[in-house]
């Protein structure tokens, strides 16, 4: 229930990989400091909110998936509002602000958010705050942070206008005291992913912690004035600034080790997208020469004994594990090397202050510790600022603690982008760079996102090769660098390359021609049809195909089909 003393607004999110949810949770968390109460729900929970009767302002955070589609959790909502029988004043009572997430490397940038925004406008809904479109290509935070900063003034204006309409002028004093003298200021907020267009003005804490340190203390932990900044070192002005850092996220997970034995969940239980199929890899071919800059592989899967169906142009997903060596390193740093095969029970911490806290859906209630770190958590994920803020509390060295504070602060936004985001730094890199940081297992479960299945285009035809499914990929390489002590391969492409190495380089004991084997190596896959990327139904229709590099992959299937 919302507190009566705080003004309510409805907060909806639709997420595919968890980013929109994390941003919505940040908004929910900051709301209290502004005298507001966010009534937060996933967009799919349509029994818990009703836009047809909603009187309070609505804030929407929505991502984009596939070829510009809304996320799976928004499909029912989008289908409902796209009903062509709805009148143009259906949502005339509704005030909303929308934050869309996308990636400008893809053609339909932020199309999930744009689709919802456009349709709400067509049905008469009004913006109380300008739409924000955040670009994951350059850093979501470049738009997300200032958008959230400006949200509170806009919400308070919208709530004041609402009260005035209801003839409740006597109740607006508390809110109006915090309003800007310029009532149109909020409408002048123009958001852009271009860094040079952003004006990040420090208007106080805005729900953050303000960290102040004496100048002497700062000088103690700062490098020499002429040193170059790096992941672990800062230079003025950041090194000498008082910092605005995010509020500490509330803890909400508890992990109990158990003595009992048992079996880990089946991989299919980790997937909510539908039926999974465990299929053997029957063939592997290296398409590039040994001296090529990139290594491209073609793999063939045997789907003859399954109900897996596809058309050329479709995609499918591979369920992949984290790298074994990296999991072992993480266990060692956590001091849990001896407990990797122990079963753990994951549950919500009693008395947590996190709203609607629940065990993450991608974490089994009971499994081995190694299973969670191998199959459930994206340990390669780029740490978000909220995670860095939580890691500060696990760090004992004063210099390391200060640097982590800088990296998650508003003043250190440029350093975060350069040394963490653009450098593809992951948790293991951070723990190597900040050795006094000793996070708990529960903290990792709270902050690391779900290990996502990786999507690949089908590069075969079910007419040309019945019972077979082929796909082509580059083995992704991440070279070692200042922020990364070891070179790495992509999570899935590296695992697949290692898995099929015996097929690529058969030894003298193996049977059959090179690239083929009676190998029993199997991978788990599930279909991801693509309704917008198929051959013309009429074979006489000419078409042009453009696919640089491994972009040629789906067109192999097109040509086979023709």
């Amino acid at each position: 229930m919302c507190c009566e003393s705080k003004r309510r607004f409805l907060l909806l999110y639709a997420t595919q990989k968890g980013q929109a949810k994390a941003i919505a949770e940040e908004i929910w968390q900051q709301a209290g400091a502004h005298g507001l109460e966010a009534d937060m729900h996933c967009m799919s929970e349509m029994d818990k909110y009703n836009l047809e009767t909603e009187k309070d302002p609505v804030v929407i955070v929505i991502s984009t998936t596939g070829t510009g589609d809304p996320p799976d959790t928004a499909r029912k909502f989008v289908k409902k509002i796209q009903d062509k029988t709805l009148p143009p004043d259906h949502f005339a009572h509704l005030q909303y602000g929308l934050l869309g997430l996308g990636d400008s490397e893809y053609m339909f940038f932020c199309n999930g958010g744009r689709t919802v925004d456009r349709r709400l406008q067509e049905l008469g809904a009004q913006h109380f705050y300008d739409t924000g479109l955040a670009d994951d290509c350059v850093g979501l935070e470049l738009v997300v942070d200032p958008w959230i900063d400006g949200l509170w003034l806009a919400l308070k204006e919208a709530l004041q206008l609402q009260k005035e309409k209801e003839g409740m002028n006597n109740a607006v004093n508390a809110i109006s005291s915090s309003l800007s003298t310029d009532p149109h200021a909020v409408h002048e907020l123009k958001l852009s992913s271009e860094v040079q267009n952003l004006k990040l003005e420090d208007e106080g804490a805005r729900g953050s912690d303000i960290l102040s340190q004496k100048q002497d203390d700062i000088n103690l932990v700062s490098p020499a004035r002429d040193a170059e900044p790096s992941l672990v070192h800062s230079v003025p002005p950041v090194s000498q600034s008082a910092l605005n850092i995010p509020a500490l996220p509330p803890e909400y997970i508890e992990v109990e080790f158990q003595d009992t034995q048992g079996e880990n969940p089946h991989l299919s239980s980790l997937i909510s997208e539908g039926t999974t199929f465990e299929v053997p890899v029957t063939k592997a071919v290296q398409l590039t020469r040994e001296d090529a800059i990139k290594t491209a592989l073609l793999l063939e899967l045997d789907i003859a004994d399954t109900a897996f169906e596809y058309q050329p142009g479709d995609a499918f997903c591979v369920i992949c594990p984290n790298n074994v060596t990296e999991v072992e390193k993480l266990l060692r740093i956590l001091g849990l090397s001896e407990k990797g095969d122990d079963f753990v029970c994951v549950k919500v911490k009693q008395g947590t202050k996190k709203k609607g806290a629940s065990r993450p859906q991608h974490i089994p209630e009971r499994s081995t510790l190694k299973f969670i770190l191998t199959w459930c958590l994206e340990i390669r994920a780029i740490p978000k600022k909220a995670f860095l803020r939580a890691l500060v509390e696990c760090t004992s060295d004063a210099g390391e603690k200060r640097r982590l504070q800088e990296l998650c602060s508003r003043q250190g936004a440029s350093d975060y982008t350069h040394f963490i985001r653009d450098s593809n730094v992951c948790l293991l890199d951070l723990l190597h760079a900040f050795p006094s940081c000793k996070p708990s297992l529960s903290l990792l479960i709270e902050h690391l996102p779900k290990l996502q299945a990786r999507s690949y285009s089908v590069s075969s035809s079910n007419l040309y090769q019945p019972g077979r499914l082929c796909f082509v990929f580059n083995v992704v390489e991440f070279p070692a660098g200042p922020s990364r002590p070891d070179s790495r391969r992509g999570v899935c492409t590296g695992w697949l390359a290692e898995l099929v190495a015996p097929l690529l380089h058969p030894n003298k004991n193996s049977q059959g021609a090179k690239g083929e084997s009676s190998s029993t190596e199997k991978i788990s896959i599930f279909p991801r049809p693509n309704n917008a990327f198929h051959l013309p139904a009429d074979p006489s229709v000419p078409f042009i195909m453009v696919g640089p590099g491994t972009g040629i992959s789906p067109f192999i299937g097109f040509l086979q089909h023709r």
Side-chain angles (χ1 to χ4, degrees):
M1 296 294 290
C2 296
C3 299
E4 292 183 7
S5 60
K6 293 183 178 180
R7 296 307 309 275
R8 170 191 178 274
F9 66 95
L10 178 63
L11 175 58
L12 300 179
Y13 66 87
T15 191
Q16 189 72 24
K17 297 183 178 180
Q19 287 182 314
K21 182 181 180 183
I23 291 167
E25 288 176 340
E26 175 68 18
I27 293 171
W28 172 84
Q29 196 171 347
Q30 289 190 28
H34 295 272
L36 301 171
E37 180 81 15
D39 185 14
M40 185 173 72
H41 301 288
C42 178
M43 202 173 267
S44 63
E45 300 174 315
M46 297 177 70
D47 57 325
K48 296 182 179 179
Y49 66 92
N50 185 357
L51 293 190
E52 276 81 2
T53 59
E54 184 59 59
K55 295 181 180 179
D56 294 327
V58 180
V59 175
I60 299 170
V61 184
I62 179 170
S63 61
T64 299
T65 189
T67 51
D69 301 318
D72 294 343
T73 52
R75 284 184 180 178
K76 286 183 181 178
F77 177 89
V78 171
K79 185 178 181 181
K80 184 177 180 180
I81 65 172
Q82 285 180 335
D83 181 350
K84 296 191 185 303
T85 65
L86 296 176
D89 62 349
H90 186 72
F91 286 133
H93 61 283
L94 200 67
Q95 297 184 83
Y96 76 99
L98 184 142
L99 176 62
L101 312 181
D103 189 327
S104 59
E105 287 191 352
Y106 294 87
M107 183 183 298
F108 302 103
F109 171 62
C110 278
N111 199 54
R114 290 179 194 268
T115 299
V116 172
D117 196 18
R118 183 169 56 247
R119 186 55 179 154
L120 289 178
Q121 291 281 297
E122 290 171 354
L123 295 174
Q126 300 292 318
H127 286 132
F128 75 85
Y129 187 40
D130 282 352
T131 296
L133 301 177
D135 187 357
D136 200 28
C137 181
V138 298
L140 293 174
E141 66 279 357
L142 297 181
V143 165
V144 171
D145 289 353
W147 193 88
I148 294 176
D149 281 351
L151 174 64
W152 311 115
L153 174 63
L155 273 169
K156 289 173 183 178
E157 279 197 340
L159 287 164
Q160 185 201 24
L161 291 172
Q162 175 190 321
K163 274 195 172 185
E164 289 175 350
K165 285 180 182 178
E166 295 170 357
M168 298 172 63
N169 292 323
N170 61 331
V172 302
N173 295 336
I175 293 178
S176 60
S177 64
S178 63
L179 285 178
S180 166
T181 54
D182 178 3
H184 303 293
V186 65
H187 302 298
E188 295 171 0
L189 177 65
K190 300 298 179 185
L191 298 173
S192 167
S193 295
E194 300 295 330
V195 185
Q196 58 266 35
N197 290 342
L198 293 177
K199 291 184 178 180
L200 301 180
E201 296 180 358
D202 182 7
E203 298 178 6
R206 297 196 183 280
S208 302
D209 296 338
I210 298 183
L211 178 77
S212 297
Q213 287 184 303
K214 294 179 181 178
Q215 191 65 41
D216 293 343
D217 295 338
I218 294 172
N219 291 338
L220 281 174
V221 299
S222 299
R225 190 174 290 269
D226 58 350
E228 288 291 320
S230 68
L231 177 62
V232 295
H233 293 300
S234 61
V235 297
V238 174
S239 61
Q240 296 178 348
S241 297
L243 304 174
N244 295 88
I245 62 175
L248 183 65
E251 298 176 358
Y252 70 98
I253 288 294
E254 199 169 68
V255 179
E256 289 182 358
F257 282 88
Q258 299 181 327
D259 294 331
T260 54
Q261 298 299 311
E263 290 187 2
N264 281 312
H266 193 270
L267 292 184
S268 60
S269 68
L270 304 177
I271 302 300
S272 58
E273 287 88 343
T275 308
T276 61
F277 301 90
E278 192 176 21
V279 295
V281 182
T282 53
K283 185 178 180 181
V285 179
Q286 182 168 320
L287 303 181
T288 44
R289 300 188 315 189
E290 291 298 334
D291 60 348
I293 295 173
K294 295 180 179 179
T295 300
L297 301 180
L298 180 145
L299 268 57
E300 180 188 89
L301 309 178
D302 182 354
I303 59 171
D305 297 329
T306 73
F308 190 99
E309 295 181 351
Y310 74 91
Q311 295 182 56
D314 283 346
F316 70 100
C317 292
V318 176
I319 303 174
C320 58
N322 285 310
N323 180 275
V324 174
T325 304
E326 291 174 33
V327 171
E328 289 174 350
K329 279 184 181 178
L330 194 51
L331 284 169
R332 188 164 61 249
I333 292 171
L334 294 172
L336 296 171
S337 293
E338 305 301 318
K339 292 183 174 287
D341 294 320
D342 289 4
F343 274 78
V344 294
C345 179
V346 179
K347 56 187 180 181
V348 174
K349 192 173 188 176
Q350 283 192 333
T352 179
K353 294 181 181 178
K354 182 179 172 69
K355 181 185 184 295
S358 62
R359 174 174 51 82
Q361 292 183 341
H362 55 279
I363 303 294
E365 186 175 3
R366 186 176 177 278
S367 65
T368 62
L369 172 55
K370 198 173 284 185
F371 182 86
I372 291 174
L373 295 179
T374 303
W375 293 101
C376 305
L377 295 176
E378 187 90 59
I379 64 175
R380 288 269 195 93
I382 296 171
K384 298 188 183 303
K385 291 184 180 180
F387 192 11
L388 297 182
R389 175 66 185 89
L391 290 176
V392 168
E393 305 305 308
C394 312
T395 306
S396 56
D397 179 83
E400 293 177 11
K401 186 186 286 271
R402 165 72 190 190
R403 184 54 176 153
L404 286 171
Q405 288 168 336
E406 291 169 351
L407 289 167
C408 71
S409 71
R410 186 175 303 154
Q411 291 76 11
S414 178
D415 280 5
Y416 174 85
T417 299
H418 183 68
F419 297 116
I420 291 187
R421 180 187 166 74
D422 292 350
S423 299
N424 271 303
V425 161
C426 67
L427 175 63
L428 272 174
D429 299 327
L430 280 181
L431 297 179
H432 180 268
F434 302 95
S436 78
C437 182
K438 304 292 182 185
S440 64
L441 176 60
S442 58
L443 194 72
L444 269 53
I445 294 174
E446 288 170 359
H447 287 276
L448 287 174
K450 174 185 178 181
L451 177 58
Q452 298 287 340
R454 270 44 175 183
S455 179
Y456 297 94
S457 296
V458 172
S459 56
S460 55
S461 163
N462 44 357
L463 296 181
Y464 187 81
Q465 294 177 285
R468 293 288 186 268
L469 183 154
C470 296
F471 65 109
V472 174
F473 59 90
N474 283 327
V475 180
V476 180
E477 304 276 357
F478 298 100
S483 301
R484 186 185 305 111
D486 303 309
S487 62
R488 298 193 185 106
R489 285 178 160 186
V491 174
C492 191
T493 60
W495 171 65
L496 289 172
E498 193 174 323
L499 195 72
V500 302
L503 298 179
L504 293 170
H505 311 287
N507 58 36
K508 59 183 180 181
N509 296 323
S510 60
Q511 298 177 355
K514 182 177 180 180
E516 298 185 19
S517 169
S518 57
S519 168
T520 55
E521 294 291 359
K522 294 183 176 183
I523 63 173
S524 293
I525 63 172
F526 59 91
R528 195 168 185 86
N530 188 338
N531 297 324
F533 189 62
H534 288 150
L535 282 164
D538 181 356
S540 68
V541 174
F543 61 97
I544 298 172
M545 300 171 287
V546 181
T550 50
I552 199 174
S553 175
F555 300 134
I556 297 174
F558 278 21
L559 292 171
Q560 288 181 353
H561 213 69
R562 273 292 168 94

